[in-house]
Amino acid sequence: MTARQMKLGAFLWATGHHIAAWRHPKAHVTAGIDIDHYIQLARTAEAAKFDMIFCEDAAGLREADVGIASQTSRSIGFEPISLLSALAVQTSRIGLVSTASTSYNEPYGLARTFLSLDHLSGGRAGWNLVTSASPIEAANFGSTGLRPHADRYERAREFAEVVAGLWHGKLDGASGHDGQSFSVRDPLDLPRSPQGAPVLVQAGASDVGRDLAARTADVVFTAAQTFEEAKAFYDDLKGRLATYGREPDDIKIMPGVAPVVAETEAEAREKYEELQELIPDDVGVALLSSYLSISDLWRYPIDGPLPELPESEGMKSRQALIVEQSRRDGLSIRQLARHFAGARGHWRIVGTAAQVADELQARFEGGAADGFNVMPSYFPGELDAFATLVVPELQRRGLFRKDYEGRTLREHLGLKRPA
């Protein structure tokens, strides 16, 4: 038995994280607009004692050029704060985390919305801060284009500072905030959070993104294919905390993982191959193009190597991850597209419960993760499989709780209550 406990998030995404999840015969195709479906998923994760459920969001169609069927299945969905507010009254312990952009919101309104969710849920809310990297989103807010990467993060830094001031009661009529991007005078019309403040989550992995996380975040989601990549990110981010007067345990690093699990390894491999066969080449390459911020990838031979790419103003860290994997593993564009479409660059494990647990344990105990953001390939099947097969194995090894220790998300994660 170990005193240190693994943290687990259930990353919910309509039909599932695999680009072809909607085509799987056991997937729920209209999942994005079925509240009963989300209630079932939330209760499954809570019964398995997950720390949190997490809802990603984008203020525009996701992967708008990835083919109409895939686009529709992945884009139709509830606004996440509305969804989590509904799930707050259908659950009692699990954390409720949602994405909201600093590029297309204002600090006062966002701080008020998340603090309201926090009170509605009894201290279980979290905000995943993103700067937004899609030109499609920018076009929906009267923008002439995507702001440069550095400008987005400077705005995000000030945004997070204002939100923290509001949550901690440091802004009032006499000492408001008057900065480069925002001016806020009054305090919020709500009392302090039951957990001190909603949990702040961040996912940027560029240098400026890591620095923002070290300054502000309680939890960091990240993508890493290999142990070495995960360990390097973990050590780098934890090493930055002292600059801001923080301790290593003040932040929990939770890489994404896309498990495909079954009773036998052969069954798990069969499940994985069945999903992979559902990916049309044009959809896989279009998805890859959107994450690389390149519009003409089809000009290059699909069975040839990835070309040299200009540096992106979009998702810099994801572009770097894809390029590194293509070079490291010698993958053609077709192979890279099919691999990437399965988990969008996140770590994938295929095997039995024991094999999946072995891999998670190695990274957890090897100092490369504090836990994991679990990304099931399709819903509800793969979340059910992880909850019924992998979670009991982790519990048997003393790596994961058998019951909740507290009631708030901060208590689940072992985070200090803010002063």
Side-chain angles (χ1 to χ4, degrees), residues 142-177:
S143 173
T144 56
L146 189 64
R147 288 187 181 101
H149 187 269
D151 292 354
R152 297 201 309 271
Y153 270 93
E154 178 54 32
R155 176 184 167 94
R157 183 203 58 76
E158 185 182 347
F159 197 115
E161 177 185 331
V162 178
V163 169
L166 290 164
W167 283 345
H168 298 310
K170 295 179 180 179
L171 299 184
D172 57 37
S175 60
H177 175 91

PDB file of all heavy atoms in Angstrom, residues 142-177:
ATOM      1  N   GLY A 142     -16.314  38.388 -33.896  1.00  0.00           N
ATOM      2  CA  GLY A 142     -16.004  39.642 -34.554  1.00  0.00           C
ATOM      3  C   GLY A 142     -14.528  39.927 -34.690  1.00  0.00           C
ATOM      4  O   GLY A 142     -14.124  41.058 -34.936  1.00  0.00           O
ATOM      5  N   SER A 143     -13.705  38.898 -34.521  1.00  0.00           N
ATOM      6  CA  SER A 143     -12.259  39.095 -34.586  1.00  0.00           C
ATOM      7  C   SER A 143     -11.784  39.077 -36.031  1.00  0.00           C
ATOM      8  O   SER A 143     -12.371  38.426 -36.895  1.00  0.00           O
ATOM      9  CB  SER A 143     -11.543  37.994 -33.795  1.00  0.00           C
ATOM     10  OG  SER A 143     -10.156  38.078 -33.972  1.00  0.00           O
ATOM     11  N   THR A 144     -10.721  39.827 -36.308  1.00  0.00           N
ATOM     12  CA  THR A 144     -10.128  39.810 -37.642  1.00  0.00           C
ATOM     13  C   THR A 144      -9.167  38.636 -37.817  1.00  0.00           C
ATOM     14  O   THR A 144      -8.587  38.475 -38.882  1.00  0.00           O
ATOM     15  CB  THR A 144      -9.364  41.124 -37.895  1.00  0.00           C
ATOM     16  OG1 THR A 144      -8.380  41.305 -36.865  1.00  0.00           O
ATOM     17  CG2 THR A 144     -10.322  42.304 -37.904  1.00  0.00           C
ATOM     18  N   GLY A 145      -9.004  37.852 -36.804  1.00  0.00           N
ATOM     19  CA  GLY A 145      -8.121  36.704 -36.893  1.00  0.00           C
ATOM     20  C   GLY A 145      -7.645  36.279 -35.523  1.00  0.00           C
ATOM     21  O   GLY A 145      -7.936  36.921 -34.514  1.00  0.00           O
ATOM     22  N   LEU A 146      -6.943  35.157 -35.487  1.00  0.00           N
ATOM     23  CA  LEU A 146      -6.421  34.630 -34.238  1.00  0.00           C
ATOM     24  C   LEU A 146      -5.317  35.536 -33.703  1.00  0.00           C
ATOM     25  O   LEU A 146      -4.395  35.895 -34.426  1.00  0.00           O
ATOM     26  CB  LEU A 146      -5.874  33.226 -34.484  1.00  0.00           C
ATOM     27  CG  LEU A 146      -5.475  32.392 -33.269  1.00  0.00           C
ATOM     28  CD1 LEU A 146      -6.674  32.094 -32.404  1.00  0.00           C
ATOM     29  CD2 LEU A 146      -4.813  31.091 -33.736  1.00  0.00           C
ATOM     30  N   ARG A 147      -5.416  35.918 -32.431  1.00  0.00           N
ATOM     31  CA  ARG A 147      -4.363  36.726 -31.830  1.00  0.00           C
ATOM     32  C   ARG A 147      -3.053  35.933 -31.794  1.00  0.00           C
ATOM     33  O   ARG A 147      -3.065  34.713 -31.642  1.00  0.00           O
ATOM     34  CB  ARG A 147      -4.733  37.098 -30.382  1.00  0.00           C
ATOM     35  CG  ARG A 147      -5.829  38.116 -30.223  1.00  0.00           C
ATOM     36  CD  ARG A 147      -5.932  38.499 -28.740  1.00  0.00           C
ATOM     37  NE  ARG A 147      -6.983  39.476 -28.479  1.00  0.00           N
ATOM     38  CZ  ARG A 147      -8.170  39.174 -27.982  1.00  0.00           C
ATOM     39  NH1 ARG A 147      -8.451  37.921 -27.703  1.00  0.00           N
ATOM     40  NH2 ARG A 147      -9.061  40.121 -27.764  1.00  0.00           N
ATOM     41  N   PRO A 148      -1.914  36.597 -31.877  1.00  0.00           N
ATOM     42  CA  PRO A 148      -0.637  35.889 -31.735  1.00  0.00           C
ATOM     43  C   PRO A 148      -0.552  35.143 -30.403  1.00  0.00           C
ATOM     44  O   PRO A 148      -1.143  35.566 -29.396  1.00  0.00           O
ATOM     45  CB  PRO A 148       0.398  37.022 -31.808  1.00  0.00           C
ATOM     46  CG  PRO A 148      -0.274  38.095 -32.590  1.00  0.00           C
ATOM     47  CD  PRO A 148      -1.723  38.017 -32.198  1.00  0.00           C
ATOM     48  N   HIS A 149       0.172  34.043 -30.406  1.00  0.00           N
ATOM     49  CA  HIS A 149       0.281  33.166 -29.237  1.00  0.00           C
ATOM     50  C   HIS A 149       0.682  33.945 -27.983  1.00  0.00           C
ATOM     51  O   HIS A 149       0.058  33.807 -26.915  1.00  0.00           O
ATOM     52  CB  HIS A 149       1.305  32.071 -29.549  1.00  0.00           C
ATOM     53  CG  HIS A 149       1.415  31.007 -28.518  1.00  0.00           C
ATOM     54  ND1 HIS A 149       2.316  31.085 -27.472  1.00  0.00           N
ATOM     55  CD2 HIS A 149       0.756  29.829 -28.359  1.00  0.00           C
ATOM     56  CE1 HIS A 149       2.207  29.997 -26.730  1.00  0.00           C
ATOM     57  NE2 HIS A 149       1.274  29.214 -27.237  1.00  0.00           N
ATOM     58  N   ALA A 150       1.721  34.776 -28.063  1.00  0.00           N
ATOM     59  CA  ALA A 150       2.210  35.513 -26.888  1.00  0.00           C
ATOM     60  C   ALA A 150       1.155  36.481 -26.366  1.00  0.00           C
ATOM     61  O   ALA A 150       0.992  36.645 -25.150  1.00  0.00           O
ATOM     62  CB  ALA A 150       3.491  36.265 -27.242  1.00  0.00           C
ATOM     63  N   ASP A 151       0.406  37.128 -27.276  1.00  0.00           N
ATOM     64  CA  ASP A 151      -0.635  38.066 -26.856  1.00  0.00           C
ATOM     65  C   ASP A 151      -1.769  37.344 -26.141  1.00  0.00           C
ATOM     66  O   ASP A 151      -2.319  37.852 -25.157  1.00  0.00           O
ATOM     67  CB  ASP A 151      -1.185  38.824 -28.068  1.00  0.00           C
ATOM     68  CG  ASP A 151      -0.177  39.779 -28.677  1.00  0.00           C
ATOM     69  OD1 ASP A 151       0.921  39.947 -28.082  1.00  0.00           O
ATOM     70  OD2 ASP A 151      -0.471  40.353 -29.742  1.00  0.00           O
ATOM     71  N   ARG A 152      -2.123  36.165 -26.638  1.00  0.00           N
ATOM     72  CA  ARG A 152      -3.196  35.392 -25.988  1.00  0.00           C
ATOM     73  C   ARG A 152      -2.810  35.039 -24.558  1.00  0.00           C
ATOM     74  O   ARG A 152      -3.633  35.087 -23.637  1.00  0.00           O
ATOM     75  CB  ARG A 152      -3.490  34.110 -26.785  1.00  0.00           C
ATOM     76  CG  ARG A 152      -4.008  34.340 -28.183  1.00  0.00           C
ATOM     77  CD  ARG A 152      -4.760  33.145 -28.743  1.00  0.00           C
ATOM     78  NE  ARG A 152      -4.060  31.881 -28.640  1.00  0.00           N
ATOM     79  CZ  ARG A 152      -3.217  31.412 -29.562  1.00  0.00           C
ATOM     80  NH1 ARG A 152      -2.938  32.132 -30.638  1.00  0.00           N
ATOM     81  NH2 ARG A 152      -2.653  30.216 -29.419  1.00  0.00           N
ATOM     82  N   TYR A 153      -1.558  34.667 -24.361  1.00  0.00           N
ATOM     83  CA  TYR A 153      -1.131  34.262 -23.022  1.00  0.00           C
ATOM     84  C   TYR A 153      -0.944  35.447 -22.082  1.00  0.00           C
ATOM     85  O   TYR A 153      -1.151  35.319 -20.865  1.00  0.00           O
ATOM     86  CB  TYR A 153       0.124  33.392 -23.092  1.00  0.00           C
ATOM     87  CG  TYR A 153      -0.248  31.938 -23.217  1.00  0.00           C
ATOM     88  CD1 TYR A 153      -0.351  31.330 -24.468  1.00  0.00           C
ATOM     89  CD2 TYR A 153      -0.556  31.175 -22.099  1.00  0.00           C
ATOM     90  CE1 TYR A 153      -0.733  30.007 -24.588  1.00  0.00           C
ATOM     91  CE2 TYR A 153      -0.943  29.855 -22.208  1.00  0.00           C
ATOM     92  CZ  TYR A 153      -1.022  29.270 -23.454  1.00  0.00           C
ATOM     93  OH  TYR A 153      -1.419  27.952 -23.572  1.00  0.00           O
ATOM     94  N   GLU A 154      -0.591  36.599 -22.604  1.00  0.00           N
ATOM     95  CA  GLU A 154      -0.502  37.788 -21.744  1.00  0.00           C
ATOM     96  C   GLU A 154      -1.900  38.190 -21.267  1.00  0.00           C
ATOM     97  O   GLU A 154      -2.095  38.545 -20.110  1.00  0.00           O
ATOM     98  CB  GLU A 154       0.169  38.941 -22.494  1.00  0.00           C
ATOM     99  CG  GLU A 154       0.251  40.235 -21.697  1.00  0.00           C
ATOM    100  CD  GLU A 154       0.920  40.072 -20.333  1.00  0.00           C
ATOM    101  OE1 GLU A 154       1.831  39.219 -20.209  1.00  0.00           O
ATOM    102  OE2 GLU A 154       0.522  40.779 -19.377  1.00  0.00           O
ATOM    103  N   ARG A 155      -2.865  38.119 -22.158  1.00  0.00           N
ATOM    104  CA  ARG A 155      -4.246  38.378 -21.763  1.00  0.00           C
ATOM    105  C   ARG A 155      -4.704  37.348 -20.733  1.00  0.00           C
ATOM    106  O   ARG A 155      -5.349  37.688 -19.734  1.00  0.00           O
ATOM    107  CB  ARG A 155      -5.160  38.341 -22.989  1.00  0.00           C
ATOM    108  CG  ARG A 155      -6.659  38.508 -22.676  1.00  0.00           C
ATOM    109  CD  ARG A 155      -7.484  38.369 -23.942  1.00  0.00           C
ATOM    110  NE  ARG A 155      -8.907  38.226 -23.648  1.00  0.00           N
ATOM    111  CZ  ARG A 155      -9.778  39.228 -23.607  1.00  0.00           C
ATOM    112  NH1 ARG A 155      -9.366  40.469 -23.835  1.00  0.00           N
ATOM    113  NH2 ARG A 155     -11.058  39.000 -23.338  1.00  0.00           N
ATOM    114  N   ALA A 156      -4.345  36.069 -20.948  1.00  0.00           N
ATOM    115  CA  ALA A 156      -4.740  35.009 -20.014  1.00  0.00           C
ATOM    116  C   ALA A 156      -4.129  35.228 -18.639  1.00  0.00           C
ATOM    117  O   ALA A 156      -4.781  34.969 -17.617  1.00  0.00           O
ATOM    118  CB  ALA A 156      -4.310  33.650 -20.571  1.00  0.00           C
ATOM    119  N   ARG A 157      -2.872  35.684 -18.585  1.00  0.00           N
ATOM    120  CA  ARG A 157      -2.227  35.931 -17.290  1.00  0.00           C
ATOM    121  C   ARG A 157      -2.998  36.982 -16.497  1.00  0.00           C
ATOM    122  O   ARG A 157      -3.293  36.791 -15.313  1.00  0.00           O
ATOM    123  CB  ARG A 157      -0.786  36.395 -17.511  1.00  0.00           C
ATOM    124  CG  ARG A 157       0.004  36.608 -16.213  1.00  0.00           C
ATOM    125  CD  ARG A 157       1.155  37.559 -16.411  1.00  0.00           C
ATOM    126  NE  ARG A 157       0.727  38.858 -16.890  1.00  0.00           N
ATOM    127  CZ  ARG A 157       0.140  39.782 -16.123  1.00  0.00           C
ATOM    128  NH1 ARG A 157      -0.123  39.550 -14.848  1.00  0.00           N
ATOM    129  NH2 ARG A 157      -0.214  40.945 -16.652  1.00  0.00           N
ATOM    130  N   GLU A 158      -3.358  38.082 -17.148  1.00  0.00           N
ATOM    131  CA  GLU A 158      -4.102  39.132 -16.450  1.00  0.00           C
ATOM    132  C   GLU A 158      -5.521  38.667 -16.116  1.00  0.00           C
ATOM    133  O   GLU A 158      -6.048  38.956 -15.037  1.00  0.00           O
ATOM    134  CB  GLU A 158      -4.165  40.399 -17.301  1.00  0.00           C
ATOM    135  CG  GLU A 158      -4.824  41.571 -16.570  1.00  0.00           C
ATOM    136  CD  GLU A 158      -4.930  42.816 -17.420  1.00  0.00           C
ATOM    137  OE1 GLU A 158      -4.288  42.881 -18.493  1.00  0.00           O
ATOM    138  OE2 GLU A 158      -5.686  43.737 -17.011  1.00  0.00           O
ATOM    139  N   PHE A 159      -6.114  37.920 -17.020  1.00  0.00           N
ATOM    140  CA  PHE A 159      -7.455  37.376 -16.803  1.00  0.00           C
ATOM    141  C   PHE A 159      -7.479  36.523 -15.529  1.00  0.00           C
ATOM    142  O   PHE A 159      -8.355  36.691 -14.657  1.00  0.00           O
ATOM    143  CB  PHE A 159      -7.849  36.532 -18.019  1.00  0.00           C
ATOM    144  CG  PHE A 159      -9.303  36.215 -18.157  1.00  0.00           C
ATOM    145  CD1 PHE A 159     -10.014  36.730 -19.227  1.00  0.00           C
ATOM    146  CD2 PHE A 159      -9.955  35.397 -17.258  1.00  0.00           C
ATOM    147  CE1 PHE A 159     -11.363  36.426 -19.387  1.00  0.00           C
ATOM    148  CE2 PHE A 159     -11.299  35.081 -17.402  1.00  0.00           C
ATOM    149  CZ  PHE A 159     -12.008  35.596 -18.480  1.00  0.00           C
ATOM    150  N   ALA A 160      -6.515  35.595 -15.419  1.00  0.00           N
ATOM    151  CA  ALA A 160      -6.453  34.721 -14.250  1.00  0.00           C
ATOM    152  C   ALA A 160      -6.219  35.526 -12.974  1.00  0.00           C
ATOM    153  O   ALA A 160      -6.772  35.194 -11.907  1.00  0.00           O
ATOM    154  CB  ALA A 160      -5.344  33.687 -14.427  1.00  0.00           C
ATOM    155  N   GLU A 161      -5.421  36.575 -13.064  1.00  0.00           N
ATOM    156  CA  GLU A 161      -5.163  37.427 -11.897  1.00  0.00           C
ATOM    157  C   GLU A 161      -6.450  38.093 -11.414  1.00  0.00           C
ATOM    158  O   GLU A 161      -6.725  38.140 -10.209  1.00  0.00           O
ATOM    159  CB  GLU A 161      -4.136  38.491 -12.281  1.00  0.00           C
ATOM    160  CG  GLU A 161      -3.824  39.498 -11.184  1.00  0.00           C
ATOM    161  CD  GLU A 161      -2.890  40.595 -11.662  1.00  0.00           C
ATOM    162  OE1 GLU A 161      -2.067  40.331 -12.567  1.00  0.00           O
ATOM    163  OE2 GLU A 161      -2.996  41.726 -11.144  1.00  0.00           O
ATOM    164  N   VAL A 162      -7.268  38.587 -12.350  1.00  0.00           N
ATOM    165  CA  VAL A 162      -8.525  39.239 -11.976  1.00  0.00           C
ATOM    166  C   VAL A 162      -9.505  38.234 -11.387  1.00  0.00           C
ATOM    167  O   VAL A 162     -10.148  38.495 -10.365  1.00  0.00           O
ATOM    168  CB  VAL A 162      -9.147  39.955 -13.191  1.00  0.00           C
ATOM    169  CG1 VAL A 162     -10.482  40.593 -12.802  1.00  0.00           C
ATOM    170  CG2 VAL A 162      -8.204  41.009 -13.736  1.00  0.00           C
ATOM    171  N   VAL A 163      -9.626  37.065 -12.018  1.00  0.00           N
ATOM    172  CA  VAL A 163     -10.548  36.040 -11.512  1.00  0.00           C
ATOM    173  C   VAL A 163     -10.156  35.618 -10.099  1.00  0.00           C
ATOM    174  O   VAL A 163     -11.019  35.495  -9.209  1.00  0.00           O
ATOM    175  CB  VAL A 163     -10.580  34.830 -12.458  1.00  0.00           C
ATOM    176  CG1 VAL A 163     -11.312  33.652 -11.809  1.00  0.00           C
ATOM    177  CG2 VAL A 163     -11.248  35.200 -13.773  1.00  0.00           C
ATOM    178  N   ALA A 164      -8.865  35.399  -9.863  1.00  0.00           N
ATOM    179  CA  ALA A 164      -8.409  35.029  -8.521  1.00  0.00           C
ATOM    180  C   ALA A 164      -8.735  36.129  -7.518  1.00  0.00           C
ATOM    181  O   ALA A 164      -9.163  35.851  -6.381  1.00  0.00           O
ATOM    182  CB  ALA A 164      -6.906  34.755  -8.539  1.00  0.00           C
ATOM    183  N   GLY A 165      -8.547  37.388  -7.909  1.00  0.00           N
ATOM    184  CA  GLY A 165      -8.882  38.494  -7.023  1.00  0.00           C
ATOM    185  C   GLY A 165     -10.351  38.519  -6.662  1.00  0.00           C
ATOM    186  O   GLY A 165     -10.726  38.785  -5.509  1.00  0.00           O
ATOM    187  N   LEU A 166     -11.202  38.221  -7.616  1.00  0.00           N
ATOM    188  CA  LEU A 166     -12.642  38.173  -7.360  1.00  0.00           C
ATOM    189  C   LEU A 166     -13.011  36.990  -6.468  1.00  0.00           C
ATOM    190  O   LEU A 166     -13.800  37.120  -5.528  1.00  0.00           O
ATOM    191  CB  LEU A 166     -13.400  38.099  -8.689  1.00  0.00           C
ATOM    192  CG  LEU A 166     -13.376  39.373  -9.538  1.00  0.00           C
ATOM    193  CD1 LEU A 166     -13.811  39.079 -10.972  1.00  0.00           C
ATOM    194  CD2 LEU A 166     -14.268  40.447  -8.921  1.00  0.00           C
ATOM    195  N   TRP A 167     -12.452  35.830  -6.750  1.00  0.00           N
ATOM    196  CA  TRP A 167     -12.762  34.639  -5.953  1.00  0.00           C
ATOM    197  C   TRP A 167     -12.261  34.773  -4.517  1.00  0.00           C
ATOM    198  O   TRP A 167     -12.883  34.254  -3.591  1.00  0.00           O
ATOM    199  CB  TRP A 167     -12.142  33.400  -6.591  1.00  0.00           C
ATOM    200  CG  TRP A 167     -12.900  32.897  -7.782  1.00  0.00           C
ATOM    201  CD1 TRP A 167     -14.169  33.231  -8.164  1.00  0.00           C
ATOM    202  CD2 TRP A 167     -12.438  31.944  -8.746  1.00  0.00           C
ATOM    203  NE1 TRP A 167     -14.520  32.552  -9.298  1.00  0.00           N
ATOM    204  CE2 TRP A 167     -13.487  31.746  -9.681  1.00  0.00           C
ATOM    205  CE3 TRP A 167     -11.246  31.243  -8.901  1.00  0.00           C
ATOM    206  CZ2 TRP A 167     -13.372  30.870 -10.760  1.00  0.00           C
ATOM    207  CZ3 TRP A 167     -11.128  30.364  -9.975  1.00  0.00           C
ATOM    208  CH2 TRP A 167     -12.187  30.180 -10.895  1.00  0.00           C
ATOM    209  N   HIS A 168     -11.150  35.447  -4.335  1.00  0.00           N
ATOM    210  CA  HIS A 168     -10.567  35.585  -2.998  1.00  0.00           C
ATOM    211  C   HIS A 168     -11.004  36.861  -2.279  1.00  0.00           C
ATOM    212  O   HIS A 168     -10.499  37.157  -1.200  1.00  0.00           O
ATOM    213  CB  HIS A 168      -9.040  35.542  -3.078  1.00  0.00           C
ATOM    214  CG  HIS A 168      -8.506  34.244  -3.615  1.00  0.00           C
ATOM    215  ND1 HIS A 168      -8.898  33.018  -3.125  1.00  0.00           N
ATOM    216  CD2 HIS A 168      -7.606  33.972  -4.606  1.00  0.00           C
ATOM    217  CE1 HIS A 168      -8.269  32.056  -3.792  1.00  0.00           C
ATOM    218  NE2 HIS A 168      -7.488  32.613  -4.692  1.00  0.00           N
ATOM    219  N   GLY A 169     -11.933  37.616  -2.882  1.00  0.00           N
ATOM    220  CA  GLY A 169     -12.455  38.805  -2.239  1.00  0.00           C
ATOM    221  C   GLY A 169     -11.464  39.940  -2.126  1.00  0.00           C
ATOM    222  O   GLY A 169     -11.551  40.771  -1.217  1.00  0.00           O
ATOM    223  N   LYS A 170     -10.511  40.009  -3.071  1.00  0.00           N
ATOM    224  CA  LYS A 170      -9.477  41.048  -2.995  1.00  0.00           C
ATOM    225  C   LYS A 170      -9.824  42.292  -3.809  1.00  0.00           C
ATOM    226  O   LYS A 170      -9.080  43.267  -3.812  1.00  0.00           O
ATOM    227  CB  LYS A 170      -8.133  40.481  -3.473  1.00  0.00           C
ATOM    228  CG  LYS A 170      -7.595  39.388  -2.567  1.00  0.00           C
ATOM    229  CD  LYS A 170      -6.280  38.835  -3.086  1.00  0.00           C
ATOM    230  CE  LYS A 170      -5.738  37.741  -2.171  1.00  0.00           C
ATOM    231  NZ  LYS A 170      -4.474  37.165  -2.674  1.00  0.00           N
ATOM    232  N   LEU A 171     -10.944  42.235  -4.545  1.00  0.00           N
ATOM    233  CA  LEU A 171     -11.373  43.392  -5.328  1.00  0.00           C
ATOM    234  C   LEU A 171     -12.646  43.971  -4.720  1.00  0.00           C
ATOM    235  O   LEU A 171     -13.607  43.247  -4.456  1.00  0.00           O
ATOM    236  CB  LEU A 171     -11.648  42.987  -6.781  1.00  0.00           C
ATOM    237  CG  LEU A 171     -10.475  42.416  -7.572  1.00  0.00           C
ATOM    238  CD1 LEU A 171     -10.901  42.153  -9.011  1.00  0.00           C
ATOM    239  CD2 LEU A 171      -9.285  43.359  -7.553  1.00  0.00           C
ATOM    240  N   ASP A 172     -12.653  45.267  -4.504  1.00  0.00           N
ATOM    241  CA  ASP A 172     -13.860  45.949  -4.054  1.00  0.00           C
ATOM    242  C   ASP A 172     -13.878  47.344  -4.659  1.00  0.00           C
ATOM    243  O   ASP A 172     -13.003  47.712  -5.447  1.00  0.00           O
ATOM    244  CB  ASP A 172     -13.949  45.992  -2.521  1.00  0.00           C
ATOM    245  CG  ASP A 172     -12.742  46.662  -1.876  1.00  0.00           C
ATOM    246  OD1 ASP A 172     -12.220  47.639  -2.456  1.00  0.00           O
ATOM    247  OD2 ASP A 172     -12.319  46.211  -0.805  1.00  0.00           O
ATOM    248  N   GLY A 173     -14.873  48.126  -4.303  1.00  0.00           N
ATOM    249  CA  GLY A 173     -15.027  49.444  -4.893  1.00  0.00           C
ATOM    250  C   GLY A 173     -13.830  50.347  -4.692  1.00  0.00           C
ATOM    251  O   GLY A 173     -13.557  51.236  -5.495  1.00  0.00           O
ATOM    252  N   ALA A 174     -13.082  50.128  -3.599  1.00  0.00           N
ATOM    253  CA  ALA A 174     -11.943  50.999  -3.299  1.00  0.00           C
ATOM    254  C   ALA A 174     -10.657  50.517  -3.948  1.00  0.00           C
ATOM    255  O   ALA A 174      -9.737  51.293  -4.166  1.00  0.00           O
ATOM    256  CB  ALA A 174     -11.750  51.080  -1.778  1.00  0.00           C
ATOM    257  N   SER A 175     -10.580  49.209  -4.237  1.00  0.00           N
ATOM    258  CA  SER A 175      -9.327  48.676  -4.792  1.00  0.00           C
ATOM    259  C   SER A 175      -9.634  47.670  -5.895  1.00  0.00           C
ATOM    260  O   SER A 175      -9.380  46.482  -5.758  1.00  0.00           O
ATOM    261  CB  SER A 175      -8.495  48.009  -3.688  1.00  0.00           C
ATOM    262  OG  SER A 175      -9.228  46.944  -3.093  1.00  0.00           O
ATOM    263  N   GLY A 176     -10.218  48.139  -6.976  1.00  0.00           N
ATOM    264  CA  GLY A 176     -10.517  47.281  -8.103  1.00  0.00           C
ATOM    265  C   GLY A 176      -9.274  47.011  -8.937  1.00  0.00           C
ATOM    266  O   GLY A 176      -8.153  47.343  -8.549  1.00  0.00           O
ATOM    267  N   HIS A 177      -9.497  46.435 -10.099  1.00  0.00           N
ATOM    268  CA  HIS A 177      -8.385  46.120 -11.001  1.00  0.00           C
ATOM    269  C   HIS A 177      -8.453  47.037 -12.209  1.00  0.00           C
ATOM    270  O   HIS A 177      -9.488  47.153 -12.865  1.00  0.00           O
ATOM    271  CB  HIS A 177      -8.465  44.664 -11.448  1.00  0.00           C
ATOM    272  CG  HIS A 177      -7.426  44.295 -12.455  1.00  0.00           C
ATOM    273  ND1 HIS A 177      -6.199  43.794 -12.109  1.00  0.00           N
ATOM    274  CD2 HIS A 177      -7.414  44.370 -13.829  1.00  0.00           C
ATOM    275  CE1 HIS A 177      -5.485  43.567 -13.200  1.00  0.00           C
ATOM    276  NE2 HIS A 177      -6.198  43.912 -14.262  1.00  0.00           N
TER     277      HIS A 177
END
